[in-house]
């Protein structure tokens, strides 16, 4: 059975929201909670799931706030 377009849209939006939250949790754990909160407005504007996935991967590997900021800027934000 096929899902209605609205169900697909809501599911995709929920997945993006979850990925944004995951990125912020990682940044808070690896850096500082205040630093993570500073990235929330920029992350909230990203709708591309692949871009969010790449940022999640970067959040796992970065060593500083500046590193993540550079990755975020390089991704177009």
């Amino acid at each position: 059975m096929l899902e209605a377009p609205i169900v697909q849209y809501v599911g995709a939006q929920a997945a993006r929201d979850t990925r944004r939250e995951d990125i912020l949790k990682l940044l808070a754990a690896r850096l500082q909670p205040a630093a993570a909160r500073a990235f929330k407005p920029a992350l909230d504007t990203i709708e591309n799931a692949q871009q969010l996935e790449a940022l999640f991967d970067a959040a796992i590997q970065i060593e500083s706030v500046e590193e993540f900021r550079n990755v975020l800027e390089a991704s177009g934000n």
Side-chain angles (χ1 to χ4, degrees):
M1 187 165 131
L2 295 174
E3 292 179 338
I6 188 70
V7 173
Q8 292 175 347
Y9 173 80
V10 170
Q13 185 62 44
R16 288 189 300 269
D17 289 345
T18 299
R19 184 50 76 198
R20 284 185 199 99
E21 291 173 20
D22 292 343
I23 293 168
L24 292 171
K25 286 178 187 176
L26 261 173
L27 292 173
R30 294 192 45 117
L31 305 172
Q32 307 132 5
R37 285 190 299 271
F39 290 113
K40 186 176 184 335
L43 291 172
D44 285 345
T45 65
I46 301 171
E47 292 298 319
N48 183 303
Q50 292 168 329
Q51 186 179 5
L52 288 168
E53 190 64 31
L55 289 169
F56 176 79
D57 292 343
I60 292 171
Q61 299 173 22
I62 56 99
E63 297 294 330
S64 70
V65 172
E66 288 183 26
E67 270 187 76
F68 189 77
R69 184 176 295 116
N70 291 337
V71 171
L72 186 60
E73 289 173 1
S75 74
N77 289 344

